[in-house]
């Protein structure tokens, strides 16, 4: 939530203050946000796959539009 946003924003501001190019800072910030937001769901999906948790895997298929039909 906001703590992730605040953390990445603070890091981006520090990079800008050091003189890093704004395009590079934007690339960093967007990549960092995506990584932080997707980490927990990715771990959960991997664990569900390893445990062969069909309920979670079916839900993920529906959420990501990966249904067979």
């Amino acid at each position: 939530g906001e703590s992730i946003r605040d953390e990445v924003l603070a890091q981006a501001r520090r990079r800008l203050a050091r003189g890093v190019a704004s395009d590079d800072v934007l690339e960093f910030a967007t990549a960092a946000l995506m990584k932080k937001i997707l980490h927990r769901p990715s771990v959960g999906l991997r664990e569900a796959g390893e445990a062969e948790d069909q309920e979670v895997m079916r839900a993920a298929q529906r959420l990501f539009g990966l249904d067979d039909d």
Side-chain angles (χ1 to χ4, degrees), residues 10-68:
Q11 291 171 342
R13 285 183 172 145
R14 284 193 297 272
R15 287 173 184 247
L16 286 171
R18 289 196 317 258
V20 176
S22 59
D23 283 349
D24 292 338
V25 174
L26 287 172
E27 288 288 332
F28 158 78
T30 56
L33 281 171
M34 293 297 296
K35 183 177 178 183
K36 289 177 182 290
I37 290 169
L38 293 175
H39 175 72
R40 186 172 296 243
S42 296
V43 169
L45 288 173
R46 185 180 67 241
E47 290 172 350
E50 291 170 354
E52 298 183 21
D53 185 333
Q54 297 299 314
E55 184 178 349
V56 172
M57 292 190 311
R58 279 193 300 275
Q61 287 175 323
R62 283 193 305 276
L63 286 170
F64 292 107
L66 303 173
D67 289 330
D68 291 335

